[in-house]
Amino acid sequence: LKCSGRFMAESSGDLPVSPGEWSAVRLRRRAFQHERALLAHRWALSLGDRARAGEFLNAAGRMAVGRVAKARVAAARLMFALGRSTEPVLSLKRGPWQEMVKINDYDTLVSPEMPVADLLID
């Protein structure tokens, strides 16, 4: 996923994709990474690792797309700062993180041990 931004920059002139379509791809990629950061936050928090959970929540805040995403992160940050669970805010309309992180029985989209930098978009 890290090379996707470079690929898009280097290939945009070679592919029959309009600037508007590239913009839509970038927006979807940012939204996907945003959700991955929130899932990693929820997983780390469930393990009691507040430091890692905070890093993932901050990363999600740096890439929030749209008003609803920004409001979700702001509410989660407030709950987190107060030492409360962020689950009521982050599970709303999303479901249990344990199911959301699964790609299949063996692979996951995120891990609480993964580097936060792997989620950030340039």
Side-chain angles (χ1 to χ4, degrees):
L1 291 176
K2 286 297 276 183
C3 67
S4 295
R6 189 176 75 218
F7 169 79
M8 289 189 296
E10 292 173 356
S11 304
S12 63
D14 301 331
L15 300 173
V17 179
S18 73
E21 290 169 323
W22 276 120
S23 180
V25 168
R26 284 187 196 95
L27 184 62
R28 294 288 297 160
R29 183 168 169 252
R30 185 175 302 278
F32 178 70
Q33 292 297 83
H34 170 77
E35 288 299 322
R36 288 182 72 216
L38 290 177
L39 286 170
H41 160 79
R42 293 167 72 185
W43 193 345
L45 200 55
S46 77
L47 296 173
D49 191 343
R50 288 188 59 79
R52 291 290 294 159
E55 291 175 21
F56 289 120
L57 187 58
N58 287 334
R62 288 195 300 271
M63 63 180 117
V65 291
R67 291 180 302 156
V68 173
K70 289 177 183 177
R72 275 178 70 210
V73 171
R77 281 182 168 163
L78 176 61
M79 299 297 284
F80 188 75
L82 295 173
R84 310 290 291 206
S85 173
T86 58
E87 275 303 297
V89 173
L90 299 179
S91 65
L92 186 66
K93 294 186 180 181
R94 296 288 193 251
W97 66 264
Q98 297 91 334
E99 293 301 316
M100 295 174 63
V101 298
K102 291 181 182 179
I103 295 173
N104 55 42
D105 288 341
Y106 309 103
D107 301 306
T108 60
L109 287 170
V110 295
S111 163
E113 293 88 27
M114 71 184 293
V116 174
D118 286 357
L119 296 168
L120 300 176
I121 309 264
D122 36 329

